[in-house]
Amino acid sequence: MRDSYHDELESLTDRLVEMTRLVRSAMSRGTTALLDADLQLAESVISQDAEVDRIYNELESSIYELMALQQPVAVDLRTVVTALRMASDLERMGDLAEHIAKIARMRHPVSAIPAELRDTIVEMGAIAENLITKTGSCIASRDIELAKELEEDDDAMDRLHRRLFRVLLSDDWSHGVEAAIDVTLAGRYYERYADHAVRVARDVVYLVTGSRTDEVAAD
């Protein structure tokens, strides 16, 4: 019975890592769809978000069942509690990638991103992918030093987010209100995606050490 219990605990990690793979793919394809006005790619991101939701719902049910039947304590309790928090953040990251794809779909056949901001969005997409790749590694290895690196990557995302706003607020902006809204939303989605990755990394630190670092607000 206890072997089965510990197998179930390990399976939580496996499913979390699988969620990171899915939301990484979603963000990668969502960014490409946004930049290239690729409707087919955007639709694939939107439709496949259901798979992230499915894993999240299954994981949530498994956690509640474990808590009810096994009544975990100490490290095991931290494992299930942090798994639930991580799953929630990862599910939200999938939603944010979906939102980016929806901008691409809405503006098709024209790209929602003006030429002077393409490089910035490319960088934001690359940082987002790097963040979620590291997040998956953190979850699998429980490497707290790697988890701490995500803070620096998040700072880089914040700098790019501020760069977007400098362009939007410039007197040289000539693309109108609609494009400004698209860029504002896209920038916000990338920035929130990064914040959720940091929250997951901080949960890894808590899982390993039992101590919490400062919370990052995310929605």
Side-chain angles (χ1 to χ4, degrees):
M1 179 67 73
R2 299 305 292 179
D3 287 344
S4 174
Y5 166 58
H6 285 102
D7 286 345
E8 289 181 62
L9 288 177
E10 290 178 8
S11 78
L12 298 180
T13 298
D14 294 339
R15 281 181 280 183
L16 288 168
V17 171
E18 178 61 18
M19 288 183 77
T20 68
R21 294 193 187 103
L22 290 171
V23 299
R24 181 187 186 280
S25 174
M27 179 54 80
S28 175
R29 290 178 292 122
T31 298
T32 300
L34 183 67
L35 291 167
D36 297 344
D38 189 324
L39 180 60
Q40 184 175 358
L41 201 56
E43 293 286 8
S44 75
V45 174
I46 294 164
S47 64
Q48 290 173 22
D49 185 57
E51 178 65 10
V52 176
D53 294 341
R54 182 189 66 79
I55 296 174
Y56 170 70
N57 290 330
E58 288 181 355
L59 196 150
E60 183 182 45
S61 295
S62 296
I63 288 171
Y64 288 147
E65 185 175 349
L66 275 171
M67 294 182 74
L69 298 179
Q70 302 292 345
Q71 298 180 345
V73 296
V75 174
D76 289 350
L77 181 59
R78 283 211 306 272
T79 298
V80 296
V81 169
T82 55
L84 185 59
R85 287 169 56 97
M86 291 179 199
S88 178
D89 281 308
L90 292 169
E91 189 274 335
R92 183 59 183 149
M93 292 171 79
D95 289 343
L96 291 164
E98 180 188 18
H99 293 339
I100 287 171
K102 284 182 175 179
I103 295 175
R105 182 176 67 178
M106 181 170 57
R107 298 304 173 207
H108 180 269
V110 177
S111 174
I113 305 302
E116 64 264 40
L117 286 174
R118 286 182 64 86
D119 288 348
T120 301
I121 293 297
V122 168
E123 288 185 63
M124 294 180 89
I127 290 173
E129 288 185 53
N130 186 46
L131 276 162
I132 192 59
T133 299
K134 287 183 178 180
T135 300
S137 296
C138 286
I139 293 170
S141 66
R142 299 188 180 182
D143 183 339
I144 63 174
E145 294 306 316
L146 181 60
K148 292 174 183 177
E149 288 182 16
L150 272 74
E151 303 277 357
E152 296 179 7
D153 295 329
D154 183 47
D155 289 342
M157 183 70 86
D158 290 340
R159 286 193 293 272
L160 290 171
H161 193 216
R162 290 192 293 271
R163 184 198 297 175
L164 278 182
F165 273 95
R166 284 197 297 272
V167 175
L168 286 171
L169 296 174
S170 168
D171 291 338
D172 296 330
W173 181 259
S174 61
H175 303 285
V177 174
E178 191 173 83
I181 292 172
D182 289 341
V183 170
T184 299
L185 288 174
R188 178 66 170 171
Y189 297 149
Y190 283 108
E191 191 246 348
R192 292 288 87 187
Y193 188 97
D195 285 345
H196 282 285
V198 170
R199 282 163 57 97
V200 173
R202 289 180 176 181
D203 276 332
V204 171
V205 174
Y206 169 67
L207 175 60
V208 174
T209 67
S211 299
R212 286 210 174 277
T213 55
D214 293 339
E215 289 286 346
V216 176
D219 53 29

